[in-house]
PDB file of all heavy atoms in Angstrom:
ATOM      1  N   PHE A  34      -6.524  11.788   6.999  1.00 96.00           N
ATOM      2  CA  PHE A  34      -6.129  12.763   5.991  1.00 96.00           C
ATOM      3  C   PHE A  34      -7.331  13.587   5.586  1.00 96.00           C
ATOM      4  O   PHE A  34      -8.467  13.192   5.799  1.00 96.00           O
ATOM      5  CB  PHE A  34      -5.545  12.037   4.776  1.00 96.00           C
ATOM      6  CG  PHE A  34      -4.410  11.122   5.157  1.00 96.00           C
ATOM      7  CD1 PHE A  34      -4.629   9.772   5.387  1.00 96.00           C
ATOM      8  CD2 PHE A  34      -3.125  11.613   5.298  1.00 96.00           C
ATOM      9  CE1 PHE A  34      -3.597   8.935   5.761  1.00 96.00           C
ATOM     10  CE2 PHE A  34      -2.084  10.784   5.671  1.00 96.00           C
ATOM     11  CZ  PHE A  34      -2.318   9.441   5.903  1.00 96.00           C
ATOM     12  N   SER A  35      -7.062  14.758   4.983  1.00 96.00           N
ATOM     13  CA  SER A  35      -8.148  15.601   4.488  1.00 96.00           C
ATOM     14  C   SER A  35      -8.098  15.611   2.953  1.00 96.00           C
ATOM     15  O   SER A  35      -7.036  15.398   2.372  1.00 96.00           O
ATOM     16  CB  SER A  35      -8.027  17.024   5.032  1.00 96.00           C
ATOM     17  OG  SER A  35      -6.962  17.697   4.407  1.00 96.00           O
ATOM     18  N   PRO A  36      -9.227  15.855   2.319  1.00 96.00           N
ATOM     19  CA  PRO A  36      -9.259  15.867   0.854  1.00 96.00           C
ATOM     20  C   PRO A  36      -8.353  16.931   0.234  1.00 96.00           C
ATOM     21  O   PRO A  36      -7.896  16.783  -0.889  1.00 96.00           O
ATOM     22  CB  PRO A  36     -10.726  16.165   0.525  1.00 96.00           C
ATOM     23  CG  PRO A  36     -11.493  15.806   1.744  1.00 96.00           C
ATOM     24  CD  PRO A  36     -10.562  16.036   2.900  1.00 96.00           C
ATOM     25  N   GLU A  37      -8.060  17.991   0.983  1.00 95.00           N
ATOM     26  CA  GLU A  37      -7.256  19.088   0.458  1.00 95.00           C
ATOM     27  C   GLU A  37      -5.748  18.863   0.596  1.00 95.00           C
ATOM     28  O   GLU A  37      -4.962  19.620   0.036  1.00 95.00           O
ATOM     29  CB  GLU A  37      -7.620  20.403   1.166  1.00 95.00           C
ATOM     30  CG  GLU A  37      -9.037  20.862   0.924  1.00 95.00           C
ATOM     31  CD  GLU A  37     -10.039  20.135   1.813  1.00 95.00           C
ATOM     32  OE1 GLU A  37      -9.678  19.668   2.918  1.00 95.00           O
ATOM     33  OE2 GLU A  37     -11.210  20.011   1.399  1.00 95.00           O
ATOM     34  N   GLN A  38      -5.328  17.860   1.341  1.00 94.00           N
ATOM     35  CA  GLN A  38      -3.907  17.610   1.534  1.00 94.00           C
ATOM     36  C   GLN A  38      -3.237  17.212   0.227  1.00 94.00           C
ATOM     37  O   GLN A  38      -3.866  16.634  -0.663  1.00 94.00           O
ATOM     38  CB  GLN A  38      -3.678  16.485   2.543  1.00 94.00           C
ATOM     39  CG  GLN A  38      -3.654  16.934   3.979  1.00 94.00           C
ATOM     40  CD  GLN A  38      -3.363  15.785   4.914  1.00 94.00           C
ATOM     41  OE1 GLN A  38      -4.153  14.854   4.993  1.00 94.00           O
ATOM     42  NE2 GLN A  38      -2.252  15.875   5.629  1.00 94.00           N
ATOM     43  N   SER A  39      -1.944  17.506   0.140  1.00 92.00           N
ATOM     44  CA  SER A  39      -1.199  17.105  -1.050  1.00 92.00           C
ATOM     45  C   SER A  39      -0.764  15.642  -0.923  1.00 92.00           C
ATOM     46  O   SER A  39      -0.564  15.147   0.192  1.00 92.00           O
ATOM     47  CB  SER A  39       0.034  17.986  -1.245  1.00 92.00           C
ATOM     48  OG  SER A  39       1.037  17.650  -0.311  1.00 92.00           O
ATOM     49  N   ILE A  40      -0.643  14.993  -2.044  1.00 91.00           N
ATOM     50  CA  ILE A  40      -0.199  13.599  -2.072  1.00 91.00           C
ATOM     51  C   ILE A  40       1.217  13.489  -1.492  1.00 91.00           C
ATOM     52  O   ILE A  40       1.532  12.521  -0.800  1.00 91.00           O
ATOM     53  CB  ILE A  40      -0.250  13.044  -3.515  1.00 91.00           C
ATOM     54  CG1 ILE A  40      -1.704  12.905  -3.969  1.00 91.00           C
ATOM     55  CG2 ILE A  40       0.474  11.714  -3.620  1.00 91.00           C
ATOM     56  CD1 ILE A  40      -2.510  11.856  -3.240  1.00 91.00           C
ATOM     57  N   LEU A  41       2.042  14.467  -1.729  1.00 90.00           N
ATOM     58  CA  LEU A  41       3.397  14.455  -1.192  1.00 90.00           C
ATOM     59  C   LEU A  41       3.372  14.427   0.337  1.00 90.00           C
ATOM     60  O   LEU A  41       4.110  13.658   0.974  1.00 90.00           O
ATOM     61  CB  LEU A  41       4.175  15.667  -1.692  1.00 90.00           C
ATOM     62  CG  LEU A  41       5.660  15.702  -1.334  1.00 90.00           C
ATOM     63  CD1 LEU A  41       6.378  14.502  -1.934  1.00 90.00           C
ATOM     64  CD2 LEU A  41       6.292  16.995  -1.811  1.00 90.00           C
ATOM     65  N   GLU A  42       2.506  15.218   0.940  1.00 93.00           N
ATOM     66  CA  GLU A  42       2.370  15.225   2.394  1.00 93.00           C
ATOM     67  C   GLU A  42       1.860  13.872   2.900  1.00 93.00           C
ATOM     68  O   GLU A  42       2.307  13.369   3.938  1.00 93.00           O
ATOM     69  CB  GLU A  42       1.411  16.343   2.817  1.00 93.00           C
ATOM     70  CG  GLU A  42       1.309  16.523   4.310  1.00 93.00           C
ATOM     71  CD  GLU A  42       0.360  17.652   4.703  1.00 93.00           C
ATOM     72  OE1 GLU A  42      -0.126  18.385   3.831  1.00 93.00           O
ATOM     73  OE2 GLU A  42       0.125  17.789   5.915  1.00 93.00           O
ATOM     74  N   VAL A  43       0.939  13.268   2.168  1.00 94.00           N
ATOM     75  CA  VAL A  43       0.412  11.954   2.524  1.00 94.00           C
ATOM     76  C   VAL A  43       1.534  10.916   2.510  1.00 94.00           C
ATOM     77  O   VAL A  43       1.677  10.123   3.444  1.00 94.00           O
ATOM     78  CB  VAL A  43      -0.735  11.536   1.573  1.00 94.00           C
ATOM     79  CG1 VAL A  43      -1.099  10.076   1.748  1.00 94.00           C
ATOM     80  CG2 VAL A  43      -1.951  12.424   1.803  1.00 94.00           C
ATOM     81  N   MET A  44       2.363  10.940   1.467  1.00 93.00           N
ATOM     82  CA  MET A  44       3.470   9.988   1.377  1.00 93.00           C
ATOM     83  C   MET A  44       4.448  10.176   2.534  1.00 93.00           C
ATOM     84  O   MET A  44       4.962   9.201   3.084  1.00 93.00           O
ATOM     85  CB  MET A  44       4.178  10.120   0.027  1.00 93.00           C
ATOM     86  CG  MET A  44       3.332   9.619  -1.125  1.00 93.00           C
ATOM     87  SD  MET A  44       4.214   9.482  -2.694  1.00 93.00           S
ATOM     88  CE  MET A  44       4.444  11.193  -3.116  1.00 93.00           C
ATOM     89  N   GLU A  45       4.694  11.427   2.917  1.00 95.00           N
ATOM     90  CA  GLU A  45       5.578  11.693   4.058  1.00 95.00           C
ATOM     91  C   GLU A  45       4.991  11.129   5.350  1.00 95.00           C
ATOM     92  O   GLU A  45       5.703  10.543   6.165  1.00 95.00           O
ATOM     93  CB  GLU A  45       5.822  13.199   4.197  1.00 95.00           C
ATOM     94  CG  GLU A  45       6.701  13.770   3.106  1.00 95.00           C
ATOM     95  CD  GLU A  45       6.759  15.294   3.110  1.00 95.00           C
ATOM     96  OE1 GLU A  45       5.974  15.930   3.868  1.00 95.00           O
ATOM     97  OE2 GLU A  45       7.580  15.844   2.367  1.00 95.00           O
ATOM     98  N   LEU A  46       3.686  11.280   5.537  1.00 96.00           N
ATOM     99  CA  LEU A  46       3.032  10.737   6.730  1.00 96.00           C
ATOM    100  C   LEU A  46       3.008   9.208   6.718  1.00 96.00           C
ATOM    101  O   LEU A  46       3.123   8.580   7.775  1.00 96.00           O
ATOM    102  CB  LEU A  46       1.620  11.306   6.866  1.00 96.00           C
ATOM    103  CG  LEU A  46       1.558  12.771   7.276  1.00 96.00           C
ATOM    104  CD1 LEU A  46       0.141  13.324   7.135  1.00 96.00           C
ATOM    105  CD2 LEU A  46       2.055  12.950   8.702  1.00 96.00           C
ATOM    106  N   PHE A  47       2.847   8.613   5.533  1.00 95.00           N
ATOM    107  CA  PHE A  47       2.911   7.149   5.425  1.00 95.00           C
ATOM    108  C   PHE A  47       4.250   6.641   5.951  1.00 95.00           C
ATOM    109  O   PHE A  47       4.295   5.696   6.738  1.00 95.00           O
ATOM    110  CB  PHE A  47       2.730   6.688   3.977  1.00 95.00           C
ATOM    111  CG  PHE A  47       1.312   6.683   3.474  1.00 95.00           C
ATOM    112  CD1 PHE A  47       1.056   6.393   2.146  1.00 95.00           C
ATOM    113  CD2 PHE A  47       0.239   6.961   4.290  1.00 95.00           C
ATOM    114  CE1 PHE A  47      -0.236   6.367   1.654  1.00 95.00           C
ATOM    115  CE2 PHE A  47      -1.061   6.947   3.813  1.00 95.00           C
ATOM    116  CZ  PHE A  47      -1.303   6.651   2.490  1.00 95.00           C
ATOM    117  N   THR A  48       5.333   7.260   5.510  1.00 95.00           N
ATOM    118  CA  THR A  48       6.654   6.795   5.932  1.00 95.00           C
ATOM    119  C   THR A  48       6.929   7.140   7.394  1.00 95.00           C
ATOM    120  O   THR A  48       7.522   6.338   8.118  1.00 95.00           O
ATOM    121  CB  THR A  48       7.771   7.372   5.032  1.00 95.00           C
ATOM    122  OG1 THR A  48       7.706   8.786   5.040  1.00 95.00           O
ATOM    123  CG2 THR A  48       7.637   6.858   3.617  1.00 95.00           C
ATOM    124  N   LYS A  49       6.495   8.301   7.845  1.00 97.00           N
ATOM    125  CA  LYS A  49       6.718   8.712   9.231  1.00 97.00           C
ATOM    126  C   LYS A  49       6.031   7.768  10.217  1.00 97.00           C
ATOM    127  O   LYS A  49       6.600   7.400  11.239  1.00 97.00           O
ATOM    128  CB  LYS A  49       6.217  10.142   9.435  1.00 97.00           C
ATOM    129  CG  LYS A  49       6.366  10.643  10.854  1.00 97.00           C
ATOM    130  CD  LYS A  49       5.824  12.046  11.009  1.00 97.00           C
ATOM    131  CE  LYS A  49       5.905  12.496  12.458  1.00 97.00           C
ATOM    132  NZ  LYS A  49       5.294  13.820  12.627  1.00 97.00           N
ATOM    133  N   HIS A  50       4.788   7.377   9.913  1.00 95.00           N
ATOM    134  CA  HIS A  50       3.995   6.548  10.820  1.00 95.00           C
ATOM    135  C   HIS A  50       4.031   5.058  10.461  1.00 95.00           C
ATOM    136  O   HIS A  50       3.349   4.262  11.109  1.00 95.00           O
ATOM    137  CB  HIS A  50       2.543   7.040  10.854  1.00 95.00           C
ATOM    138  CG  HIS A  50       2.406   8.414  11.425  1.00 95.00           C
ATOM    139  ND1 HIS A  50       2.527   8.682  12.766  1.00 95.00           N
ATOM    140  CD2 HIS A  50       2.191   9.617  10.826  1.00 95.00           C
ATOM    141  CE1 HIS A  50       2.364   9.966  12.979  1.00 95.00           C
ATOM    142  NE2 HIS A  50       2.164  10.564  11.819  1.00 95.00           N
ATOM    143  N   ASN A  51       4.791   4.711   9.415  1.00 93.00           N
ATOM    144  CA  ASN A  51       4.920   3.319   8.979  1.00 93.00           C
ATOM    145  C   ASN A  51       3.547   2.684   8.704  1.00 93.00           C
ATOM    146  O   ASN A  51       3.223   1.609   9.210  1.00 93.00           O
ATOM    147  CB  ASN A  51       5.702   2.506  10.004  1.00 93.00           C
ATOM    148  CG  ASN A  51       6.202   1.198   9.438  1.00 93.00           C
ATOM    149  OD1 ASN A  51       6.386   1.067   8.237  1.00 93.00           O
ATOM    150  ND2 ASN A  51       6.414   0.226  10.302  1.00 93.00           N
ATOM    151  N   ILE A  52       2.746   3.369   7.912  1.00 92.00           N
ATOM    152  CA  ILE A  52       1.420   2.879   7.526  1.00 92.00           C
ATOM    153  C   ILE A  52       1.336   2.832   6.005  1.00 92.00           C
ATOM    154  O   ILE A  52       2.167   3.410   5.304  1.00 92.00           O
ATOM    155  CB  ILE A  52       0.281   3.752   8.104  1.00 92.00           C
ATOM    156  CG1 ILE A  52       0.418   5.206   7.648  1.00 92.00           C
ATOM    157  CG2 ILE A  52       0.248   3.652   9.622  1.00 92.00           C
ATOM    158  CD1 ILE A  52      -0.743   6.107   8.065  1.00 92.00           C
ATOM    159  N   SER A  53       0.317   2.162   5.503  1.00 90.00           N
ATOM    160  CA  SER A  53       0.163   2.051   4.053  1.00 90.00           C
ATOM    161  C   SER A  53      -1.138   2.649   3.548  1.00 90.00           C
ATOM    162  O   SER A  53      -1.459   2.535   2.370  1.00 90.00           O
ATOM    163  CB  SER A  53       0.251   0.580   3.628  1.00 90.00           C
ATOM    164  OG  SER A  53      -0.798  -0.156   4.237  1.00 90.00           O
ATOM    165  N   GLY A  54      -1.898   3.272   4.439  1.00 92.00           N
ATOM    166  CA  GLY A  54      -3.147   3.895   4.027  1.00 92.00           C
ATOM    167  C   GLY A  54      -3.909   4.409   5.222  1.00 92.00           C
ATOM    168  O   GLY A  54      -3.558   4.114   6.373  1.00 92.00           O
ATOM    169  N   GLY A  55      -4.946   5.185   4.940  1.00 93.00           N
ATOM    170  CA  GLY A  55      -5.752   5.714   6.027  1.00 93.00           C
ATOM    171  C   GLY A  55      -7.009   6.388   5.525  1.00 93.00           C
ATOM    172  O   GLY A  55      -7.169   6.644   4.328  1.00 93.00           O
TER     173      GLY A  55
END
Side-chain angles (χ1 to χ4, degrees):
F34 305 96
S35 73
E37 296 81 27
Q38 274 183 296
S39 74
I40 291 293
L41 187 61
E42 186 179 353
V43 168
M44 290 190 289
E45 289 171 351
L46 288 169
F47 282 175
T48 57
K49 178 181 176 184
H50 295 286
N51 196 25
I52 58 174
S53 61

